[in-house]
Amino acid sequence: MKRLYRIGAGVRSDDLKTFSALAAMHREGQIDHVQVQVIPAERAAFRRDMERIADAGVPIVIHAPHHGHGVNPCAPTAYDDRPPAEIERWTEEALALTAEAADVTGARQIVLHAGRHLPGRREEAEETFAAFLDGHFDPRFILENLPAVYAGYPLLGNTAEELLTLAGGRVRGFCLDFAHLFCTANYLGIPYANLLAPFDDLPLGLFHLSNSRRGSVTDEHLPINHPEGGLDFATVIPFISAHPAVETSLEYKENDPRLYAEQVPVFDALFQTYRP
């Protein structure tokens, strides 16, 4: 029976073993795409890995490096002890690899994080992100919402309205991360459904799905059936169902195909339970 949704799994660009297992899941019809998180590496080796990924014939979504990989568009030198010139060189190379990965694999979307900034300096971070787009814009960028805070520092682009402001009319698509929004709702004390509704008016290109603990402001990328998970699937699944062309990437910290093999049918069961 044809699925009423489109589902995918994620992998690091340097983990071809896991990618091969996910490619097999795609061939068997279990998933529709693989999201590849770019991990900057030596260029020749990186290109070889991307060519092997492209040869598998799997639809690919590319995820650009983020602050966890030393690429922080809205505040490059915040929380980073490296010399500014080194940070700039690293960012340039990481983004060049990202564009190359999308070119080689034929990916139509590159997921981008605006990044993390220093407390009280949001306006400056917004200006810095606009300058980043001036210098590094790629029409394949889709901008992802981030949780309001993580490990005590603020992240940029938490709500639909903030993403529109950051996009500035240049970034034309968005990635909605349901767990990130759950953490933001808990942090701001706003009902989840109220924060989710404005995303219906955005040009959405991708969904990210995982779980977080009930009431938590910490994004953990937990399995969707985690016993302490608090994500409101009675709200999330109808939203996914209302956007059948938008693919959902299950996104976990573990690069383990066994986890995805277990989670894909869990998602299907949730979808069958909560879809309108």
Side-chain angles (χ1 to χ4, degrees):
M1 184 177 69
K2 184 178 179 181
R3 290 192 298 264
L4 299 178
Y5 57 85
R6 297 186 64 78
I7 194 75
V11 66
R12 289 167 53 108
S13 62
D14 57 1
D15 187 352
L16 292 184
K17 181 178 180 180
T18 294
F19 175 79
S20 295
L22 297 181
M25 290 179 66
H26 174 263
R27 288 192 298 272
E28 294 164 4
Q30 299 176 55
I31 59 175
D32 300 295
H33 74 272
V34 173
Q35 177 180 267
V36 176
Q37 171 68 67
V38 170
I39 306 299
E42 188 273 326
R43 187 173 285 254
F46 184 84
R47 182 177 294 117
R48 287 194 299 270
D49 288 348
M50 287 303 104
E51 288 172 350
R52 288 181 61 184
I53 288 173
D55 288 345
V58 180
I60 298 295
V61 173
I62 294 296
H63 197 308
H66 50 67
H67 65 267
H69 313 116
V71 178
N72 190 29
C74 76
T77 59
Y79 311 100
D80 197 323
D81 294 331
R82 295 175 297 171
E86 180 181 338
I87 294 171
E88 183 176 358
R89 285 193 299 271
W90 177 260
T91 299
E92 293 286 343
E93 176 65 8
L95 291 170
L97 292 174
T98 299
E100 181 173 334
D103 292 341
V104 171
T105 63
R108 294 178 296 136
Q109 297 178 320
I110 299 173
V111 181
L112 180 68
H113 289 188
R116 57 179 180 170
H117 61 88
L118 295 170
R121 298 173 69 170
R122 174 176 290 271
E123 184 175 342
E124 177 185 337
E126 292 174 349
E127 294 172 356
T128 301
F129 183 72
F132 168 86
L133 289 180
D134 288 340
H136 303 94
F137 178 75
D138 190 304
R140 295 168 291 193
F141 281 160
I142 58 173
L143 191 57
E144 179 179 351
N145 65 297
L146 301 180
V149 294
Y150 183 77
Y153 52 72
L155 292 97
L156 191 64
N158 315 133
T159 65
E161 295 84 355
E162 290 172 6
L163 289 184
L164 272 177
T165 297
L166 291 173
R170 288 178 286 181
V171 178
R172 300 299 180 90
F174 300 90
C175 173
L176 167 55
D177 188 306
F178 292 104
H180 286 178
L181 194 68
F182 176 73
C183 293
T184 295
N186 290 335
Y187 180 78
L188 297 178
I190 297 174
Y192 185 74
N194 291 9
L195 281 185
L196 180 60
F199 280 89
D200 201 35
D201 296 324
L202 297 187
L204 297 169
L206 188 69
F207 296 138
H208 281 173
L209 185 63
S210 58
N211 211 335
S212 290
R213 297 177 200 276
R214 287 181 290 275
S216 176
V217 301
T218 301
D219 176 43
E220 296 182 79
H221 290 269
L222 299 176
I224 53 178
N225 58 340
H226 192 281
E228 298 178 32
L231 192 64
D232 180 7
F233 288 102
T235 298
V236 168
I237 295 298
F239 193 95
I240 293 174
S241 179
H243 300 81
V246 180
E247 303 213 8
T248 299
S249 275
L250 298 175
E251 194 181 52
Y252 306 119
K253 293 186 182 297
E254 297 87 355
N255 259 25
D256 187 344
R258 294 172 298 181
L259 177 61
Y260 287 105
E262 182 250 342
Q263 288 290 289
V264 167
V266 169
F267 175 82
D268 185 74
L270 287 168
F271 190 87
Q272 301 308 325
T273 298
Y274 292 111
R275 73 181 179 91

